Amino acid sequence: NAGVTQTPKFRVLKTGQSMTLLCAQDMNHEYMYWYRQDPGMGLRLIHYSVGEGTTAKGEVPDGYNVSRLKKQNFLLGLESAAPSQTSVYFCASSYELDRQNTNTEAFFGQGTRLTVV
Amino acid sequence: AQSVTQLDSQVPVFEEAPVELRCNYSSSVSVYLFWYVQYPNQGLQLLLKYLSGSTLVKGINGFEAEFNKSQTSFHLRKPSVHISDTAEYFCAVSVRTGGFKTIFGAGTRLFVKA
């Protein structure tokens, strides 16, 4: 039971470098999300996707891009990393929200700890 | 816009004592409400959820929460905590308005002391 898998688990980047975080889910979920977690701020939504080929901005999208080319994968890209992007990044997935569907909760990956120096 | 406020950033409590973690939300549309728990160095896992129906919701590990529409609250309670309940707890609100979002509160760190 893999659930939601994030790679890598840890990464250190220099300012200005680029990288891509990969999220994969094997639950056939329609919705996928990227959050960042910072002390005292909870989880803030970066981008999300309601289906293959579609993405949307969340609360803090600046400096990030995403792609959902396959239903099971959701990629988060940093084109030019900045120290302010040092954070723990969580990917999550869920079924479509519907009051007839009780399986509405999000399933989370284990997180990626990113440090930008 | 929706928002979630967790009124306490840290809650220390002795083992076997009751605990309440407070959550208030604001939204102009109907919401789904969740509580998640995060143990150290792990992702979040669902404790319980409110979608509709009975306002008292029971979750895993003996936790329960009550949805109060008039007070826009969804407080989490446990009658007797254990050391193993030490973790960070997040209240979350999901809405469906021209798309979909889940918004999280800032979290409450529960410390259970022996």
Side-chain angles (χ1 to χ4, degrees):
Chain A
N1 295 334
V4 179
T5 303
Q6 291 181 232
T7 53
K9 290 185 171 50
F10 303 92
R11 186 73 185 269
V12 177
L13 286 180
K14 293 183 179 179
T15 298
Q17 285 185 317
S18 63
M19 79 163 293
T20 300
L21 281 66
L22 171 63
C23 177
Q25 53 96 2
D26 61 1
M27 295 172 282
N28 202 34
H29 285 162
E30 287 293 330
Y31 290 10
M32 296 187 75
Y33 325 87
W34 276 107
Y35 291 90
R36 58 177 290 173
Q37 183 178 27
D38 302 291
M41 304 189 76
L43 276 77
R44 292 181 292 169
L45 183 64
I46 305 171
H47 286 280
Y48 63 101
S49 168
V50 300
E52 182 179 322
T54 70
T55 63
K57 294 180 180 179
E59 303 169 79
V60 289
D62 294 340
Y64 305 95
N65 57 75
V66 289
S67 65
R68 183 102 180 265
L69 299 179
K70 293 183 179 180
K71 185 177 183 179
Q72 64 268 34
N73 295 337
F74 194 31
L75 278 63
L76 178 71
L78 286 73
E79 291 185 350
S80 179
S84 61
Q85 293 177 305
T86 293
S87 186
V88 180
Y89 291 85
F90 285 99
C91 176
S93 70
S94 73
Y95 289 111
E96 181 179 3
L97 269 190
D98 187 301
R99 289 206 182 269
Q100 275 63 55
N101 180 1
T102 59
N103 297 319
T104 53
E105 67 266 30
F107 292 80
F108 284 80
Q110 294 297 298
T112 296
R113 187 172 297 275
L114 175 66
T115 302
V116 183
V117 298
Chain B
Q2 295 73 39
S3 67
V4 179
T5 303
Q6 291 185 242
L7 298 161
D8 307 292
S9 60
Q10 297 187 45
V11 174
V13 64
F14 285 103
E15 193 173 21
E16 298 183 7
V19 70
E20 178 179 82
L21 307 184
R22 297 179 293 170
C23 173
N24 285 90
Y25 69 93
S26 66
S27 175
S28 58
V29 298
S30 295
V31 298
Y32 303 83
L33 296 159
F34 305 83
W35 275 99
Y36 287 86
V37 60
Q38 183 181 31
Y39 298 104
N41 299 315
Q42 294 189 24
L44 280 71
Q45 62 185 80
L46 182 72
L47 268 182
L48 48 79
K49 60 186 176 185
Y50 171 79
L51 304 181
S52 63
S54 173
T55 57
L56 182 63
V57 179
K58 293 189 184 298
I60 62 171
N61 300 340
F63 284 92
E64 64 180 32
E66 186 158 18
F67 170 56
N68 188 319
K69 188 174 182 179
S70 63
Q71 297 186 7
T72 61
S73 68
F74 191 55
H75 301 333
L76 180 70
R77 301 186 183 100
K78 186 170 183 178
S80 176
V81 295
H82 302 288
I83 297 287
S84 59
D85 292 322
T86 295
E88 188 144 22
Y89 293 80
F90 293 93
C91 182
V93 166
S94 292
V95 296
R96 190 189 178 103
T97 54
F100 163 75
K101 290 183 190 178
T102 296
I103 304 298
F104 284 81
T108 297
R109 188 168 295 277
L110 176 64
F111 291 105
V112 181
K113 302 177 286 186

